[in-house]
Amino acid sequence: MLKWLAAFGLLLVFAYAIYQMNIYVQFRYQRRDDNDNVFIRVYAWRGILSYVIKVPVVQVDWQDEMLWFESEMKETKGNKRINTVFERHLIKKVVDFILYHPRRFRRLIEKFRTKLLQTKLIVRELHNKVRFDRFHCQVRFGLEDAAATGMLAGAFWMLKGLVSNTLRNQMTSGVCPVFTMTPVFGKDILVIDLECILRIRLGNIIKALYKADKQGGNNRG
């Protein structure tokens, strides 16, 4: 009997530790010389558990007289693949699917509506649970027209104020968002270096997923 109680106690301690575990997401976006680099890292337990995705190249390509976006993606295990956001003939396949399979298309739309509703519920549930441990943004921008650069600077400062007010209540205690915006007159330039680290408890994620699935199921019924 004591062994069962001890095992049950250990199970409760383990479940509580999992519930309280923080999940960290590090996001970094850099733009220099028309090259875009995206770095995403998800980790926990001080990096013992970690998953990394790198998207070092984002470019525009013309294929079949249509505009496509391509990126080269690298993952933690070293896998690399070319990802095309819009594959060739995708539009034609979608049209054929709508015309020749209308019932399946309606079911697909209904599933999409349900998933969208669940996503909104998850975002609403987690909105106040996310905390930012770091938010650094450095921007250098400019146009050849000095007046246009001044107008762009005003728009950037408005955006800075909006983001600052939005993040203020979600920053970790003692941490403030950092923005550096430098206008460059007489030159076309846009350099961005954005890095943020956010954290959320795994228990809050599980709770939000459970509520979204339950409410989504009720809405389907």
Side-chain angles (χ1 to χ4, degrees), residues 52-64:
V52 177
I53 295 178
K54 295 180 181 180
V55 186
V57 178
V58 177
Q59 64 182 11
V60 178
D61 188 22
W62 285 94
Q63 297 179 8
D64 297 338

Side-chain angles (χ1 to χ4, degrees), residues 50-54 73-81:
S50 179
Y51 183 76
V52 177
I53 295 178
K54 295 180 181 180
M73 183 175 292
K74 295 181 180 179
E75 300 179 1
T76 304
K77 296 181 180 180
N79 299 329
K80 182 172 68 174
R81 66 178 185 273

Side-chain angles (χ1 to χ4, degrees), residues 209-220:
L209 292 172
Y210 173 76
K211 285 188 174 181
D213 183 69
K214 185 176 180 180
Q215 295 185 33
N218 291 337
N219 289 326
R220 288 194 298 270

Side-chain angles (χ1 to χ4, degrees), residues 153-168:
F156 270 120
W157 281 105
M158 290 179 60
L159 179 62
K160 173 184 175 180
L162 179 62
V163 174
S164 296
N165 291 332
T166 302
L167 293 179
R168 185 169 290 114

Side-chain angles (χ1 to χ4, degrees), residues 153-201:
F156 270 120
W157 281 105
M158 290 179 60
L159 179 62
K160 173 184 175 180
L162 179 62
V163 174
S164 296
N165 291 332
T166 302
L167 293 179
R168 185 169 290 114
N169 295 329
Q170 292 184 261
M171 299 297 296
T172 300
S173 178
V175 179
C176 296
V178 176
F179 292 88
T180 303
M181 296 189 177
T182 307
V184 179
F185 295 92
K187 182 179 179 181
D188 289 332
I189 184 175
L190 179 60
V191 178
I192 302 174
D193 192 341
L194 169 66
E195 182 183 16
C196 64
I197 300 177
L198 58 89
R199 61 181 169 86
I200 186 171
R201 287 182 178 175

